Amino acid sequence: MAGKVWLVGAGPGDAGLLTIKGREVLSQAEVVVYDALVSGSVLTLIPEGAKRIFAGKRSGNHFLRQEETNRVLLEEALDGKRVVRLKGGDPFVFGRGGEELELLVEHGVPFEIVPGVTSAFAVPAYNGIPVTHRDFCSSVHVITGHRRADHTYDIDFEALVRTKGTLIFLMGIAALPDLMNGLLAAGMDPDMPAAVLERGTTAKQRRVSATVGTLERVCSEAVIQTPAIIVVGRACALADTFAWAEKRPLAGVRALVTRPRELVSTLANLLRERGAEVLELPAIRTVPVKDMAAVDAAIEALAEGGYDWLVFTSPSGVGIFFDRLIAQRDLRALAGVKLAAIGQGTQKALLRYGLKADFLPSVYDGETLGRELRAVCAPGSRILIPRAAIGNHELIDKLEQGDRLTVTDVATYDTEYASPEVFDVRGMFERSPEDPAPGLDFAVFTSASTVRGFAAAVPDADFNRVNAVCIGRQTAAEAQKRGMRVWISERATLEALVKRVEEAADELRIEN
């Protein structure tokens, strides 16, 4: 039975501009065929296990020819797969989406179109340029600046000039002189405002403002890189007045967040709200231990009143333990048992089961949890800790110093590490400042295990080139052990961690 193809617009770069439907479709993909213009922050949303096929093309350099891309979509769909064709911007705005559908229609393969946010409108908006404005223009026109080799432009420049509207040229940087000369020859005022917008909606976006008469020279001096779009029109003069993206606290910052595959990253969302471009690297995975006999025995003892405290050190531990408990019994097994959580994230995981922690430490780390919980436990208390097979020893050490406390440490889940599959993390951190391709400014870590996961994912990286912002001293110790430059948040909360990223970014700006 034939599968199905979805043409999905990935937007211009900022992962927040991927539509809700686009994200939903991508999350269910079995095969993803993606372009070079799809940002790394969107590529990290490709589900684990999906087949990834790069069909990138930029400035005439093709990894797959268009005909080969069309054939791949057909073959994968005929093999019964859910295929997502992930395209930068919108698939029908100079994205050759129509060509990719023709072969599917010919063979009766079902498909859907998921429109995307086009760079033609989003990139000017991120640079403070309204493409229409009542006082400046009443129309907007999107034109491809690309032409086939040995072909002349099929553009009616005189008609464009007569519109008096905003003109947006996509894929036109290589032909910038021809485009500006065409407008000038058609009678456009040389002093008409114009701009080139480079890497729009990303952390490394840049705006070069000039006029139609001077844009070629100014861009040559600025050494413009692709992807970039050209905007011509009186509304370009509003860019400085309406500029907003660069005023955010983390504007210009590109950060990597390493997270467990199964957890939605609240941290990434907080960083994006402050203006950072975030790549999420799902380099660690938590899975139940293969032999759950010890966990099952602990659950039975818990139900029979064998424990006074149940202590959790991670959201993953909460989920895996309660899934097992509910499969055998129900939450009444916790009658009379007090709950402790290492921090707010673990507390939130408990709340999903309708439970609230009786105790949280003042500092969210294992040592403080052990020391402070020991102080509130009654003599002779029995404590159950379901956690990672390789857990920090400080928690146990501190608890065992208590008055006749009995501690049962049960291995509930293992942590596995995986390598990045869609972008070169090592190359991003080791890129020189002169390299025009975007690099990474920070890695942000929420636990020692995320540091280990990152190190395992890129084992050959030069960690001395990594700027690490860490949530606590244990996490920082793991990063420092590998030679990373480290900043530590004042408190072990995500809000404090984001604030520390802002402070670290300010320090680096001063240094540079």
Side-chain angles (χ1 to χ4, degrees):
M1 188 173 102
K4 187 172 179 177
V5 175
W6 285 260
L7 263 64
V8 177
D14 185 339
L17 297 180
L18 177 66
T19 66
I20 293 173
K21 184 170 184 179
R23 187 164 187 150
E24 290 175 348
V25 168
L26 184 59
S27 71
Q28 301 174 52
E30 296 175 292
V31 179
V32 179
V33 183
Y34 63 96
D35 284 348
L37 291 180
V38 179
S39 69
S41 55
V42 172
L43 292 177
T44 59
L45 302 176
I46 296 175
E48 181 183 5
K51 182 178 180 181
R52 297 164 171 82
I53 301 173
F54 178 57
K57 23 179 122 52
R58 184 175 288 174
S59 299
N61 297 316
H62 295 243
F63 190 83
L64 287 182
R65 296 181 60 83
Q66 186 63 54
E67 295 77 11
E68 294 174 314
T69 299
N70 301 347
R71 178 180 52 78
V72 166
L73 296 177
L74 176 65
E75 291 177 350
E76 295 290 348
L78 291 177
D79 196 34
K81 300 295 194 302
R82 295 175 58 89
V83 183
V84 169
R85 175 67 171 107
L86 196 59
K87 304 174 74 69
D90 180 275
F92 278 5
V93 180
F94 302 124
R96 304 185 74 171
E99 296 177 47
E100 295 179 356
L101 295 182
E102 291 171 356
L103 194 61
L104 301 178
V105 171
E106 182 181 334
H107 288 81
V109 173
F111 61 85
E112 287 189 26
I113 312 301
V114 182
V117 176
T118 175
S119 62
F121 299 151
V123 171
Y126 269 56
N127 282 273
I129 299 174
V131 295
T132 63
H133 189 290
R134 185 172 62 178
D135 296 334
F136 291 89
C137 62
S138 57
S139 64
V140 57
H141 310 269
V142 183
I143 310 104
T144 176
H146 177 73
R147 66 178 178 186
R148 294 183 180 181
D150 302 323
H151 284 64
T152 58
Y153 274 113
D154 185 21
I155 297 176
D156 189 338
F157 287 103
E158 292 182 357
L160 290 178
V161 172
R162 285 196 302 272
T163 67
K164 299 181 181 179
T166 302
L167 308 179
I168 299 169
F169 295 91
L170 305 184
M171 302 176 292
I173 294 303
L176 178 63
D178 292 338
L179 296 173
M180 296 303 103
N181 289 334
L183 293 172
L184 290 170
M188 180 166 280
D189 185 349
D191 292 329
M192 176 67 71
V196 166
L197 312 178
E198 178 184 300
R199 300 187 188 280
T201 81
T202 73
K204 305 306 178 184
Q205 78 169 30
R206 182 169 61 135
R207 177 176 68 253
V208 175
S209 298
T211 64
V212 171
T214 62
L215 190 61
E216 178 186 354
R217 174 182 58 79
V218 172
C219 286
S220 176
E221 294 171 353
V223 192
I224 290 293
Q225 303 291 327
T226 58
I229 72 171
I230 304 165
V231 184
V232 175
R234 294 173 60 203
C236 289
L238 296 170
D240 290 337
T241 302
F242 291 162
W244 61 273
E246 56 265 45
K247 296 178 181 179
R248 296 171 295 173
L250 289 176
V253 170
R254 210 160 183 250
L256 179 78
V257 173
T258 303
R259 59 175 173 82
R261 285 182 180 272
E262 65 274 15
L263 295 182
V264 175
S265 182
T266 303
L267 172 60
N269 292 335
L270 289 173
L271 290 167
R272 289 184 179 119
E273 287 174 6
R274 306 297 284 169
E277 180 182 356
V278 182
L279 274 68
E280 295 183 69
L281 176 65
I284 63 176
R285 179 195 301 110
T286 53
V287 296
V289 293
K290 293 180 180 179
D291 184 358
M292 296 290 282
V295 179
D296 292 341
I299 290 172
E300 289 303 311
L302 185 70
E304 294 171 3
Y307 293 103
D308 304 296
W309 282 89
L310 183 56
V311 180
F312 291 101
T313 60
S314 73
S316 298
V318 171
I320 291 172
F321 181 81
F322 277 106
D323 286 349
R324 190 72 175 186
L325 183 149
I326 292 170
Q328 298 182 23
R329 291 181 170 269
D330 59 34
L331 294 181
R332 286 175 293 182
L334 300 180
V337 177
K338 292 185 177 181
L339 302 174
I342 197 169
Q344 292 179 348
T346 306
Q347 162 83 304
K348 289 178 182 177
L350 286 170
L351 289 173
R352 287 195 287 271
Y353 293 91
L355 301 168
K356 186 175 181 181
D358 298 283
F359 178 82
L360 273 78
S362 60
V363 176
Y364 302 154
D365 62 33
E367 179 184 358
T368 307
L369 174 60
R371 185 179 66 253
E372 295 183 352
L373 180 59
R374 181 187 70 203
V376 301
C377 283
S381 292
R382 298 156 299 174
I383 303 170
L384 173 63
I385 310 175
R387 60 175 187 157
I390 302 177
N392 186 286
H393 293 290
E394 290 183 328
L395 169 59
I396 305 299
D397 292 342
K398 294 298 181 183
L399 285 173
E400 289 181 340
Q401 295 173 21
D403 187 3
R404 294 179 285 113
L405 300 182
T406 302
V407 180
T408 303
D409 185 19
V410 179
T412 306
Y413 62 92
D414 286 308
T415 301
E416 298 178 350
Y417 304 120
S419 298
E421 299 171 301
V422 291
F423 52 86
D424 178 17
V425 174
R426 174 184 172 181
M428 289 178 179
F429 273 113
E430 296 181 1
R431 199 155 282 151
S432 69
E434 293 76 25
D435 192 328
L440 282 164
D441 302 298
F442 295 101
V444 187
F445 298 114
T446 57
S447 68
S449 65
T450 60
V451 178
R452 291 191 291 268
F454 169 73
V458 284
D460 298 326
D462 179 2
F463 295 121
N464 292 307
R465 304 282 292 275
V466 176
N467 297 317
V469 184
C470 301
I471 201 165
R473 61 178 187 81
Q474 293 173 353
T475 305
E478 286 288 336
Q480 290 168 330
K481 191 162 62 177
R482 291 167 173 80
M484 302 179 195
R485 182 179 179 182
V486 168
W487 289 261
I488 307 174
S489 61
E490 183 176 343
R491 298 190 70 243
T493 66
L494 295 184
E495 292 75 14
L497 184 61
V498 171
K499 181 180 178 181
R500 193 67 178 119
V501 175
E502 292 180 19
E503 294 168 349
D506 289 339
E507 288 182 32
L508 292 186
R509 291 188 187 108
I510 293 172
E511 290 178 6
N512 296 328

